[in-house]
């Protein structure tokens, strides 16, 4: 599938008219309260976060010590655990709020769930585990079982604790370790803490007036209620045969779940504020003959090839050849910051915008080809730039709107759903009586417990991480911050970012394990960046930042632009490939920017390592 090319001067569309249409559609959806239009599935809505999959087992509180505590049992935490095991670390405790490993793949088991990055590059450690995915885009249960297999392979269940939430980290200066408290009464001491609590775990709900008045059934897609719907992640929702259902949300989750709900329900109302792009998915079983030809190193080669193409690096061929790589050029400014510097910036912007128009026009034309009703087809069309929202892929979603039992409800002119009553969802003056409302409204993206303040971190002299980051993130390479020794972050802040987050996490886990191994080898007192190293990295991030403000301001509101309130990024702008080259070269040195020498007795804790 070739990458989008720059159109010629003989355009078959009016670029100015498209810009005007995009702004009109954006303005229909902007809400002045931004992200405040959502509410956490917590407090009085905490029941939405109940674990329906694993029964909570009671246990006595822990009061012990481990060498390394990893917060989070998703792919980030699993990769950290795996790399640490490979480095010879035995004392590792994994902790997660879920009932088992898997992270977002533990919680999300809604019908139709699959990965949207090719499974051969998305599912990590395939060669280490000795597994080839059964599908090009694996279903959620296959991915969850792979997470379990990683944990088993690396003996990460040994000291793991589940259904356990860390409530605070406190640095003990005298003992040179962290004290971590949990909601189970645990007081765990750890030399190192790795925070990989994820950014797709805290479900959010729309702040709809009257949501608590609804007397029908409700649940969030991340806690799918199969007791109510019947069926399984493969579909067959027979429990909905006599039910009127409203699904709120048409993002990546909605695209996958809605076709199955439509097949099972008496009637389905799809509540849409902003349509997603819907490109061809073309999922298919893995060809066993192809799998038999794979040679050692095949996954790393494929992962690196995918990341290189997405990041604008030179690649002799495209091994994946899917919608992501075909439209890689349109993603780079938003996802990697790896731009073509051979062009004048104004000319580059002009070419990119025109190529974007061509791609989006083709997607809108596809809707007209698939959806029978012209009014419905028009409402399903995405009027915005390609990377204003995470691109969507489905071969089932658009045909769903040709079913007689499916009604698309466009809520844009009302800023979303107006209110809910005891038995209905109200949009403007129209009431839609339903038996059940399913919220496919996603998660608090980019906000882990550490970053939101719900998991307080107290470093040297009791100073909190949020205080230190009050004016923005401060770190070296995105992993560690001055004043917070032996605390590592697995996240997409001040480092390389990509649509394939599992690749990014794998390289981050490799880096962290290498630093900890070097600390052990050299007898370092702790791992903590110097003031100078941290400031230099913050300056690098700022200096290399790509100005996305104009692009994001013009975008329809969504989580990429903070519902219209965010116009900047803290990622390493040259992109993930350049970032991984940088930290790999850094690891070849003595790591003196972060390792406190064991003989550094002349430096007191109050000096905070400001010696260089």
């Amino acid at each position: 599938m070739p990458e989008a090319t720059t159109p010629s001067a003989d355009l078959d569309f009016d670029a100015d008219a498209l810009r005007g249409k995009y702004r009109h559609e954006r303005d229909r959806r902007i809400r002045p309260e931004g992200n405040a239009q959502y509410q956490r599935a917590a407090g009085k809505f905490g029941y939405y976060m109940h674990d329906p999959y694993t029964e909570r087992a009671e246990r006595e509180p822990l009061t012990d010590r481990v060498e390394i505590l990893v917060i989070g049992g998703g792919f980030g935490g699993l990769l950290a655990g795996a790399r640490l095991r490979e480095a010879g670390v035995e004392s590792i405790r994994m902790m997660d709020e879920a009932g088992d490993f898997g992270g977002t793949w533990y919680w999300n088991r809604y019908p139709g769930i699959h990965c949207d990055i090719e499974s051969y590059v998305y599912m990590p450690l395939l060669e280490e585990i000795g597994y080839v995915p059964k599908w090009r885009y694996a279903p959620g249960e296959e991915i969850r079982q792979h997470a379990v297999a990683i944990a088993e392979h690396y003996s990460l269940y040994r000291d793991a604790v589940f259904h356990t939430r860390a409530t605070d980290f406190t640095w003990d200066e005298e003992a040179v370790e962290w004290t971590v408290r949990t909601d189970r009464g645990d007081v765990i001491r750890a030399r190192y803490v790795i925070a990989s609590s994820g950014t797709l775990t805290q479900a959010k709900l729309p702040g709809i007036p009257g949501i608590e008045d609804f007397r029908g059934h409700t649940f969030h897609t991340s806690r799918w209620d199969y007791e109510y719907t019947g069926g399984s992640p493969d579909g067959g929702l027979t429990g909905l045969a006599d039910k009127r259902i409203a699904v709120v949300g048409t993002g990546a989750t909605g695209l996958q779940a809605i076709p199955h709900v439509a097949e099972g329900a008496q009637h389905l109302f799809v509540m849409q504020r902003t349509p997603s792009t819907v490109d061809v998915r073309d999922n298919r079983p893995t060809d066993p003959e192809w799998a038999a030809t794979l040679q050692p190193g095949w996954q790393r080669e494929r992962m690196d090839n995918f990341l290189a193409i997405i990041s604008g690096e030179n690649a002799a061929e495209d091994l994946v050849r899917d919608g992501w790589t075909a439209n890689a050029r349109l993603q780079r400014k938003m996802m990697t910051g790896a731009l073509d510097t051979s062009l004048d910036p104004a000319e580059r912007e002009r070419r990119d915008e025109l190529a974007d128009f061509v791609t989006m026009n083709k997607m809108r034309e596809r809707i007209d080809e698939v959806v029978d009703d012209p009014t419905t087809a028009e409402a399903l069309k995405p009027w915005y730039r390609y990377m204003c929202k995470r691109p969507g892929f489905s071969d089932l979603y658009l045909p769903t709107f040709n079913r007689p039992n499916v009604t698309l409800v466009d809520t844009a002119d009302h800023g979303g759903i107006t209110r809910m009553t005891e038995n209905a969802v109200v949009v403007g003056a129209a009431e839609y009586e339903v038996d059940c409302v399913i919220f496919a409204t996603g998660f608090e993206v980019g906000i882990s417990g550490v970053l939101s303040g719900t998991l307080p971190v107290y470093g040297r002299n009791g100073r909190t991480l949020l205080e230190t980051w009050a004016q923005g993130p401060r770190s070296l390479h995105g992993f560690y911050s001055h004043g917070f020794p032996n605390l590592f972050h697995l996240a997409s802040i001040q480092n390389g970012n990509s649509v394939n987050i599992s690749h990014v996490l794998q390289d981050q886990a490799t880096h962290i394990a290498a630093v900890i191994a070097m600390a052990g080898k050299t007898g370092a007192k702790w791992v903590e960046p110097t003031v100078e190293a941290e400031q230099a990295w913050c300056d690098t991030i700022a200096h290399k930042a790509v100005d996305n403000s104009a692009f994001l301001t013009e975008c329809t509101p969504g989580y990429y632009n903070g519902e219209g309130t965010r116009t900047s990024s803290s990622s390493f702008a040259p992109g993930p490939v350049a970032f991984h080259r940088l930290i790999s070269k850094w690891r070849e040195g003595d790591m003196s920017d972060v390792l406190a020498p064991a003989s550094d007795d002349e430096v007191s804790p109050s000096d905070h390592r400001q010696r260089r």
Side-chain angles (χ1 to χ4, degrees):
M1 188 181 297
E3 185 172 334
T5 57
T6 304
S8 68
D10 299 324
L11 302 175
D12 61 355
F13 58 86
D14 185 333
D16 286 334
L18 273 178
R19 294 186 191 103
K21 176 68 171 176
Y22 284 8
R23 292 188 185 114
H24 171 72
E25 294 295 326
R26 175 203 63 192
D27 292 346
R28 291 176 64 206
R29 295 170 172 86
I30 285 180
R31 291 178 53 162
E33 65 268 46
N35 278 316
Q37 67 189 274
Y38 297 102
Q39 54 195 344
R40 300 191 105 207
K44 66 179 180 179
F45 297 112
Y47 60 89
Y48 280 97
M49 297 294 284
H50 172 73
D51 185 347
Y53 312 120
T54 307
E55 184 176 351
R56 175 183 165 117
E58 295 303 321
R59 61 173 178 80
E60 292 297 314
L62 299 171
T63 54
D64 59 0
R65 185 188 185 282
V66 294
E67 182 71 6
I68 301 176
L69 176 64
V70 180
I71 308 294
F75 279 146
L78 286 166
L79 286 162
R83 293 306 187 218
L84 289 165
R85 282 280 193 255
E86 291 171 350
V89 180
E90 290 299 316
S91 180
I92 303 171
R93 168 163 292 143
M94 310 291 294
M95 179 187 295
D96 200 282
E97 294 182 52
D100 201 348
F101 288 107
T104 191
W105 299 103
Y106 175 87
W107 293 117
N108 287 280
R109 307 190 194 190
Y110 56 81
I113 182 172
H114 287 68
C115 55
D116 65 0
I117 303 293
E118 188 188 68
S119 58
Y120 317 126
V121 301
Y122 176 75
M123 295 169 65
L125 306 179
L126 290 175
E127 289 190 79
E128 289 84 342
I129 303 302
Y131 185 73
V132 177
K134 298 175 182 177
W135 288 84
R136 187 183 189 196
Y137 301 96
E141 182 60 14
E142 184 178 6
I143 301 172
R144 189 184 72 81
Q145 291 292 345
H146 182 62
V148 169
I150 292 173
E152 292 175 340
H153 182 81
Y154 289 98
S155 301
L156 298 178
Y157 278 103
R158 185 186 305 162
D159 295 310
V161 287
F162 297 109
H163 285 150
T164 302
R165 177 174 58 86
T167 54
D168 67 76
F169 304 164
T170 303
W171 175 250
D172 186 326
E173 193 75 61
E174 183 175 348
V176 192
E177 62 187 9
W178 288 94
T179 300
V180 178
R181 293 176 172 81
T182 78
D183 62 349
R184 304 290 291 262
D186 304 313
V187 182
I188 301 168
R189 304 182 74 82
R191 178 172 174 82
Y192 298 102
V193 172
I194 300 175
S196 181
S197 51
T199 59
L200 291 175
T201 56
Q202 178 59 52
K204 66 182 181 182
L205 301 168
I208 303 170
I211 187 173
E212 64 274 14
D213 297 330
F214 183 68
R215 295 294 174 258
H217 197 68
T218 62
F219 59 88
H220 191 275
T221 49
S222 65
R223 307 292 191 275
W224 194 274
D225 189 350
Y226 284 107
E227 288 190 9
Y228 182 85
T229 67
S232 71
D234 295 324
L237 309 182
T238 56
L240 302 182
D242 60 345
K243 302 292 193 301
R244 297 161 300 174
I245 309 295
V247 173
V248 181
T250 55
T253 296
L255 295 189
Q256 298 186 97
I258 282 169
H260 295 282
V261 177
E263 186 177 292
Q266 179 190 95
H267 198 90
L268 169 62
F269 297 98
V270 177
M271 302 292 170
Q272 170 194 277
R273 185 188 66 164
T274 306
S276 290
T277 56
V278 187
D279 206 346
V280 174
R281 174 73 297 167
D282 191 26
N283 197 11
R284 56 182 180 267
T286 298
D287 181 356
E289 292 185 5
W290 171 78
T293 68
L294 298 175
Q295 300 297 312
W298 72 268
Q299 189 187 28
R300 188 73 206 194
E301 178 186 15
R302 199 173 185 89
M303 289 172 62
D304 288 346
N305 177 262
F306 180 82
L307 194 66
I309 291 172
I310 292 295
S311 303
E313 301 275 332
N314 291 325
E317 63 175 320
D318 179 356
L319 297 178
V320 174
R321 296 181 62 82
D322 69 354
W324 290 107
T325 59
N327 293 309
R329 170 182 175 178
L330 307 181
Q331 303 164 38
R332 288 170 192 153
K333 183 170 183 178
M334 270 296 296
M335 296 307 301
T336 69
L339 303 179
D340 183 355
T341 56
S342 67
L343 292 172
D344 173 77
E347 176 62 16
R348 181 181 64 229
E349 289 293 324
R350 186 190 74 84
R351 294 190 185 190
D352 286 351
E353 183 188 43
L354 293 179
D356 200 302
F357 285 153
V358 169
T359 296
M360 293 299 288
N361 280 341
K362 289 178 180 177
M363 290 192 180
R364 290 187 284 264
E365 289 168 1
R366 178 172 176 244
I367 295 170
D368 285 328
E369 294 168 359
V370 175
V371 179
D372 296 337
D373 179 62
T375 302
T376 301
E378 193 63 28
L380 287 166
K381 291 179 181 177
W383 297 100
Y384 47 78
R385 293 280 294 271
Y386 183 71
M387 285 304 295
C388 283
K389 293 173 68 69
R390 185 176 176 93
F393 304 89
S394 175
D395 299 327
L396 304 175
Y397 181 73
L398 294 177
T400 295
F401 293 93
N402 294 330
R403 299 179 63 98
N405 68 325
V406 176
T407 301
L408 178 65
V409 181
D410 186 3
T411 70
D413 286 329
H414 306 281
I417 295 171
T418 306
R419 60 189 173 92
M420 291 174 67
T421 68
E422 290 187 357
N423 64 347
V425 175
V426 181
V427 178
E431 290 195 18
Y432 301 90
E433 290 191 6
V434 294
D435 301 293
C436 175
V437 178
I438 302 171
F439 293 107
T441 44
F443 303 86
E444 294 181 353
V445 176
I447 304 175
S448 67
V450 171
L451 301 182
S452 69
T454 59
L455 175 52
V457 178
Y458 301 95
R460 295 191 189 274
N461 300 321
R463 184 173 175 82
T464 68
L465 184 65
L466 285 188
E467 286 180 278
T468 304
W469 287 12
Q471 303 303 314
R474 299 190 60 80
S475 74
L476 174 60
H477 301 150
F479 298 112
Y480 15 56
S481 294
H482 182 74
F484 301 87
N486 294 359
L487 174 63
F488 300 84
H489 303 279
L490 280 164
S492 55
I493 294 175
Q494 292 196 330
N495 50 38
N497 195 13
S498 172
V499 296
N500 187 13
I501 187 63
S502 65
H503 187 162
V504 170
L505 291 171
Q506 182 162 307
D507 287 339
Q508 290 183 11
T510 298
H511 180 81
I512 290 173
V515 172
I516 290 177
M518 181 62 78
K521 179 180 179 181
T522 61
K525 290 201 301 184
W526 55 69
V527 176
E528 177 189 8
T530 63
V531 171
E532 294 82 0
E534 181 183 85
Q535 184 60 53
W537 185 247
C538 291
D539 292 342
T540 296
I541 293 294
H543 175 70
K544 294 184 177 295
V546 173
D547 183 3
N548 282 335
S549 56
F551 179 90
L552 289 170
T553 299
E554 292 293 321
C555 278
T556 186
Y559 71 79
Y560 276 2
N561 66 355
E563 296 294 337
T565 64
R566 183 170 60 245
T567 58
S568 62
S569 169
S570 62
S571 295
F572 180 68
V577 176
F579 175 75
H580 297 316
R581 280 198 297 261
L582 182 150
I583 60 173
S584 294
K585 184 177 181 179
W586 179 89
R587 289 199 300 269
E588 295 174 359
D590 60 9
M591 302 188 190
S592 59
D593 284 346
V594 299
L595 299 183
S599 60
D600 196 19
D601 295 330
E602 75 279 7
V603 180
S604 68
S606 61
D607 288 328
H608 291 189
R609 299 192 66 226
Q610 297 183 51
R611 63 189 185 284
R612 287 192 292 274

